[in-house]
Amino acid sequence: GGAAVELDLARSHSRGSGAGGDEFRVASSLTCPPRGQIYSLNDARFDDWPLGLQRYISDVRSGAGQTGKHYSARYVCSLVADFHRTMHYGGWCGNPRPHLRLVYEANPLSFVAAACGGAGSDGARAILSKRPEALHERTCFFVGSTEDVTELQSYGDVQQGAAEYTV
């Protein structure tokens, strides 16, 4: 009995037991498909996005993207949940605004994605190729299937500047 927990680690194969003697298994075969049909970001901000991102989303929604398939949005608003689903089913998740911290959010998730066959990008270049200029530096972030992330980047103008919204 008890709750099920899945622990996905990059390039690790092991079994063990946790506190209290509960056994756990580390999934050793997690791979991110090269393509998916899901994108995950806050669609409520569509009108604020740069034109390249708007064009990309409109194209993949309508089936006019490179695959010819209709993509759908799945947005939980939790990067961990969106990332986990993306690694299993493909597609991508992210934020066009420079919201995530490069050093301890975007880099670690990009590392895991790369180990699973995926990719992380700031919309213009690979996250793992960026050299941090400050500990808390923020970046735009798109992570998931390599072919989907590459297609997104090909639209150019997918990064949004920092924005303040009035409520």
Side-chain angles (χ1 to χ4, degrees), residues 12-152:
S12 179
H13 308 272
S14 64
R15 287 184 73 84
S17 59
D22 294 331
E23 277 209 21
F24 64 86
R25 180 183 64 82
V26 176
S28 61
S29 61
L30 179 63
T31 57
C32 181
R35 278 279 186 190
Q37 280 184 258
I38 299 170
Y39 69 90
S40 179
L41 79 166
N42 187 354
D43 270 338
R45 298 288 183 203
F46 183 90
D47 293 334
D48 296 331
W49 295 341
L51 293 178
L53 184 57
Q54 287 180 358
R55 281 190 358 251
Y56 169 81
I57 294 297
S58 294
D59 284 354
V60 298
R61 276 185 192 162
S62 68
Q66 291 176 359
T67 66
K69 296 180 178 179
H70 293 265
Y71 280 45
S72 61
R74 300 284 186 275
Y75 182 61
V76 176
C77 193
S78 163
L79 182 58
V80 171
D82 289 329
F83 177 77
H84 183 261
R85 182 198 54 251
T86 299
M87 289 298 100
H88 282 278
Y89 300 108
W92 62 269
C93 62
N95 192 329
R97 293 186 301 149
H99 178 72
L100 287 118
R101 271 89 32 139
L102 176 62
V103 173
Y104 43 91
E105 292 171 324
N107 269 336
L109 289 177
S110 292
F111 174 80
V112 172
C116 296
S121 170
D122 68 0
R125 65 183 177 142
I127 288 289
L128 295 177
S129 72
K130 292 181 74 163
R131 184 179 190 98
E133 296 179 16
L135 180 61
H136 301 292
E137 178 181 344
R138 293 178 183 267
T139 185
C140 304
F141 187 53
F142 305 95
V143 64
S145 298
T146 54
E147 294 175 20
D148 287 315
V149 171
T150 299
E151 181 180 1
L152 169 68

